[in-house]
Amino acid sequence: MTELQDRLERLETLTAECELIAKLATDSTKREFYLKLSEQYHQLAVEMRQAIATKAAA
């Protein structure tokens, strides 16, 4: 389970980093890119949480 939790933490970190980069970006194209990327990482984190919960329940 530790490996899954480590991956979840990494996804959460990537989400936060992309959000920060998007906030600091002066170019609108880069801002949109990093916002979309953060949304994708967020969705992966949600799915990872579900996987962890499913594995814990089994």
Side-chain angles (χ1 to χ4, degrees):
M1 183 92 75
T2 303
E3 181 182 339
L4 293 177
Q5 290 172 336
D6 290 344
R7 290 183 183 205
L8 174 59
E9 288 179 20
R10 180 66 181 143
L11 290 170
E12 290 172 340
T13 300
L14 288 169
T15 300
E17 289 174 353
C18 287
E19 288 173 351
L20 178 62
I21 292 170
K23 287 179 185 176
L24 297 175
T26 56
D27 181 15
S28 63
T29 304
K30 288 183 181 180
R31 186 179 313 118
E32 289 179 28
F33 171 78
Y34 282 104
L35 282 174
K36 287 180 183 179
L37 192 57
S38 72
E39 290 171 6
Q40 291 176 347
Y41 282 133
H42 175 74
Q43 184 58 40
L44 288 171
V46 167
E47 292 171 10
M48 185 63 69
R49 278 189 208 96
Q50 292 172 346
I52 291 170
T54 301
K55 190 171 182 178

